[in-house]
Amino acid sequence: MNLEAIWADYQSSVKAFLYKHISNPSDVEDLLQDILIKTYQNLDTVKDTKKVKSWVFQIANHAIIDFYRKRATISKINGQVLWYELAEEDIYSQLSHCVTAFINGLPDSEAKLLTAIDIDGISQKDYAALNGMKYSTLKSRVKKSRQNLSELFNQCCELSINSKGELIDFDKRDKKCSSC
């Protein structure tokens, strides 16, 4: 068995396999090199030439597993919380006490509706059934109430949203805003 012949036959397939599991091209190239080295170092252990392809893909699969294990270990850095994890929690915790105040600033029917659905977690279908209204009507009211809530937030705070629609920061527009 010749390493060059084996690598010529399977390199593109292994690379495609790696891209299915890893999106970063640099990481794929690094793993491809690791797989080549492991193939070279252990080629003499393969007894049956018909099993070379599955053996090479087994090496690739183990390389992917090791790659993600290493990343998981590195990302936790001995159990320390990273700054960006704190920042995200901090933004939501800062605004969480405002939500009830803003909801209470809505008309009573809208406040009752959003408190039941968004705070207490009652499903919209259950709320509609409990209050004797059509589900489609309730969905429209929830949407309108959420828009009104959003307007209250926007009067008081400027929310910064990233491209994924996630809240990343906020600033009070008016320092006198009593809701937050």
Side-chain angles (χ1 to χ4, degrees):
M1 287 186 288
N2 181 343
L3 179 65
E4 290 82 15
I6 292 170
W7 202 242
D9 288 343
Y10 303 121
Q11 180 183 5
S12 61
S13 298
V14 170
K15 193 172 188 176
F17 177 72
L18 291 173
Y19 271 114
K20 285 182 183 177
H21 300 285
I22 299 170
S23 60
N24 185 338
S26 298
D27 291 334
V28 168
E29 291 300 324
D30 289 345
L31 286 176
L32 200 58
Q33 291 301 314
D34 290 343
I35 294 165
L36 175 62
I37 292 168
K38 288 179 183 176
T39 303
Y40 172 74
Q41 291 172 340
N42 299 302
L43 187 58
D44 59 335
T45 63
V46 179
K47 304 292 185 229
D48 188 357
T49 58
K50 294 177 184 174
K51 296 182 180 180
V52 170
K53 182 177 182 180
S54 62
W55 178 74
V56 170
F57 276 89
Q58 187 176 23
I59 293 172
N61 193 45
H62 287 297
I64 292 168
I65 292 168
D66 290 344
F67 171 79
Y68 282 113
R69 280 185 184 153
K70 202 179 297 181
R71 281 187 112 180
T73 304
I74 290 170
S75 69
K76 285 302 170 188
I77 309 175
N78 299 326
Q80 295 177 3
V81 179
L82 301 175
W83 66 269
Y84 58 83
E85 290 173 340
L86 286 174
E88 188 171 324
E89 290 175 0
D90 192 36
I91 292 169
Y92 288 107
S93 65
Q94 287 177 27
L95 287 177
S96 64
H97 71 277
C98 300
V99 173
T100 305
F102 280 115
I103 288 176
N104 291 335
L106 293 170
D108 287 340
S109 61
E110 291 182 6
K112 180 181 171 189
L113 175 78
L114 290 183
T115 299
I117 292 170
D118 291 333
I119 304 294
D120 298 336
I122 298 173
S123 74
Q124 291 185 19
K125 285 186 178 183
D126 290 343
Y127 188 88
L130 288 170
N131 290 287
M133 65 175 72
K134 291 182 180 180
Y135 176 58
S136 59
T137 302
L138 176 71
K139 287 188 346 183
S140 297
R141 288 185 184 173
V142 168
K143 182 178 179 181
K144 180 65 176 161
S145 298
R146 287 178 178 163
Q147 287 172 342
N148 291 341
L149 180 63
S150 178
E151 288 173 15
L152 287 177
F153 259 105
N154 286 330
Q155 288 173 5
C156 185
C157 302
E158 183 176 341
L159 304 176
S160 298
I161 310 290
N162 67 13
S163 61
K164 296 178 184 176
E166 299 166 337
L167 179 65
I168 55 174
D169 198 10
F170 76 97
D171 289 315
K172 285 187 178 181
R173 290 184 192 275
D174 183 359
K175 302 298 180 194
K176 299 174 190 171
C177 183
S178 60
S179 296
C180 274

